[in-house]
Amino acid sequence: MQIQDLPYPDPGVPDARSGPRFLWWLFRNQLGGQLKSLAWGLLHFASVSALPFCVGLAIQAVVDRSGSRLAVAGGVMVLCCVGNALGDTFLHRAAVTNWITAAARVQQLLARRTALLGSALTRRVAAGEVVAVSTGDVEKIGWFVEAVSRFTAAALTIVLVCVALVVYQPALGVVVIVGLPVLALAVLPLLPGATRRADVQRDKAGRATELASDTVAGLRVLRGIGGEELFLDRYRGASQEVRHAAVRSARMWSLISAIQVLLPGLLLIAVVWHGVHLARDGRINVGELVTVYSSVMILTYPLRHFEEIAMAYSFSRPSAKRAARVLSLERTTDTAGSRAAETPTGDLYDPATGLLAPAGRFTAVVCGDPDTAGRLAERLGGHPSEEGTSALLGGVPLDELPLKSARTAVLVQDKDPVLLSGTLRELLDVPASGAVGAEDALAAAQCGDVLTALAQGSLGADDPMDARITERGRSLSGGQRQRLALARSLITDPEALVLDEPTSAVDSHTEARIAEGVRALRAGRTTVVFTSSPLLLDRADRIVFLHEGEVAAVGAHRELLHTEPRYRAVVTRETDEETAAHPGAVPAGGKPGKPPTDDGRAEDRDGSLSDDDVLHRLEEIEETA
């Protein structure tokens, strides 16, 4: 796999049982690239390590006044330099390729897992941790994967050089072959402590990233309540903890680096001291002494890769552990499904609550509990994150369909939809039936002022469709984001569209026009809207009222206002005392309401409104809209 071939057609199924197993799986899936990197690494390190032998041979040729041997030494040195240049260049190329392709594979796996889990992901893993895994952790994992082949090449080169020194000059070669393992293993006792400090640093950095992500996401609310300084102080504290942890980790790695410099120096002193005595005794010549001395100096270069692999593993292990944790998450339902891929049509029905949304009708659902409404909306979309009874579309259980087919048939828009950065044209470029154009969808969602604002805020964008949307649409108001997300959902034109509070951040005038636009655009298609807005409810074909997780009443908006006090309490935000003031009302506690007065109005001491008063006020709002 080359960089230009990315993304992977299929990133594979990762071994997410643990961090080390995940790293090993990544390595095995890059075996071709790793072998290529190993081959170039051996050429590079072998060429570098052969230079001392060439130097020693040249010096001895000069001492012996042998021109032929000096020419041979020069020729071999040229070959070593060429091999060094080629090996270093292509080793770097292969290593960077391994790094980037490994990181890309992890990012693809994370993206695929995120799409598979949907909203269940952030309920199991903090959003900040997902951000940390998909950014910094991916880089750390890629670093270790590409460093393995370089380390292997360095280790093999050291073994070959030690064997060559023993054969070339046994008296000094034995000193080197005994000392080098000590150098390589001397830092092992320090690695557990360094790893623990690296783990602490990564954990604190992940918490700081999570805090920053949450703060940025809630910046508008924080400004509204004056809480910027409070959260800024919290982030400052978290940032300082990360800094202190990083300093403690750096101190340990500084100690390891110092040992990696000190011990080779001591070995070099020992080799020179022993070699000088051997030369004085005539047991070795000057060329051999220079060769062994130079070889020990050169070996400090591949020895540095022992430190690098230790650092790479220490930093990548917690990163791989976090990535494996995210990749090991599974949905509670089988996303492959037991049925063939199809797009069923018909009524949308939820057996758990008894909710029925007839085909081709605009159904509004009123539920006093937002969490229950959210879970029901997810269940209507098929393949919910929690186990339970499957919703049916045209009598077909949605969780028996492949996930892609279920999402094609039923589209669920969350109450807090996300807008991706890019142009408006790119935002609205979604899989769709082709029956609804962008212009019609934007008009139905009342996005005229949004287009104007985007065009004014984007320099050089004559067409509003080419205007840029910032990350998560932060430059737009909450109502503008909701309307753009609604337009995106309308363009898809699914068989059934489920909207969870699509106008909660929109003013009443715009909300009334949106209700008419959606009703007209979705004519003949199944639409389910979770809402408690009277403006939307009054324009629905039928209303389903849920109480304690079951269907309690079905009818028209004005009818339910008269006949169902619990419905009226949710829609008009009445308290139990206010609800009890209406004729025949039964509040949540089960106690009957106050009997009506002679004029037909039920009044409490606090002046609660009657049914007619409520209807009159609702009519005034609608007329104003």
Side-chain angles (χ1 to χ4, degrees), residues 311-358:
M311 290 183 66
Y313 181 73
S314 297
F315 280 95
S316 66
R317 190 178 62 84
S319 297
K321 180 180 178 181
R322 285 207 296 239
R325 180 190 171 201
V326 174
L327 295 174
S328 64
L329 298 177
E330 296 287 348
R331 296 184 67 92
T332 56
T333 54
D334 181 14
T335 57
S338 57
R339 291 174 176 260
E342 60 175 307
T343 304
T345 59
D347 298 342
L348 183 60
Y349 176 66
D350 177 49
T353 60
L355 169 65
L356 174 66

Side-chain angles (χ1 to χ4, degrees), residues 257-432:
S257 297
I259 292 175
Q260 291 282 10
V261 173
L262 175 63
L263 293 184
L266 294 177
L267 177 61
L268 192 60
I269 293 173
V271 168
V272 172
W273 181 83
H274 185 56
V276 168
H277 283 78
L278 293 176
R280 289 174 59 185
D281 295 340
R283 297 169 57 185
I284 64 173
N285 56 43
V286 175
E288 291 173 337
L289 177 59
V290 171
T291 298
V292 176
Y293 169 78
S294 301
S295 297
V296 173
M297 287 197 65
I298 290 295
L299 284 178
T300 58
Y301 171 55
L303 275 173
R304 300 292 297 180
H305 290 78
F306 283 75
E307 178 189 351
E308 182 197 17
I309 197 64
M311 290 183 66
Y313 181 73
S314 297
F315 280 95
S316 66
R317 190 178 62 84
S319 297
K321 180 180 178 181
R322 285 207 296 239
R325 180 190 171 201
V326 174
L327 295 174
S328 64
L329 298 177
E330 296 287 348
R331 296 184 67 92
T332 56
T333 54
D334 181 14
T335 57
S338 57
R339 291 174 176 260
E342 60 175 307
T343 304
T345 59
D347 298 342
L348 183 60
Y349 176 66
D350 177 49
T353 60
L355 169 65
L356 174 66
R361 304 283 298 280
F362 187 165
T363 302
V365 181
V366 177
C367 181
D369 184 359
D371 293 333
T372 301
R375 289 192 294 269
L376 175 56
E378 184 182 19
R379 192 161 60 246
L380 290 177
H383 296 272
S385 57
E386 301 175 354
E387 291 185 353
T389 307
S390 173
L392 291 82
L393 181 62
V396 178
L398 289 172
D399 65 359
E400 294 183 5
L401 294 173
L403 181 60
K404 184 177 181 180
S405 299
R407 288 181 171 172
T408 301
V410 184
L411 174 66
V412 179
Q413 177 178 301
D414 295 334
K415 65 178 62 178
D416 187 22
V418 175
L419 302 183
L420 302 178
S421 60
T423 65
L424 180 58
R425 194 184 309 278
E426 292 170 341
L427 176 71
L428 300 180
D429 184 16
V430 293

Side-chain angles (χ1 to χ4, degrees), residues 574-582 585 587-588 593-594 603-604 606 608:
E574 287 182 347
T575 63
D576 286 349
E577 290 77 11
E578 292 172 333
T579 303
H582 297 291
K594 193 174 181 179
E603 292 191 0
D604 255 345
D606 60 354
S608 299

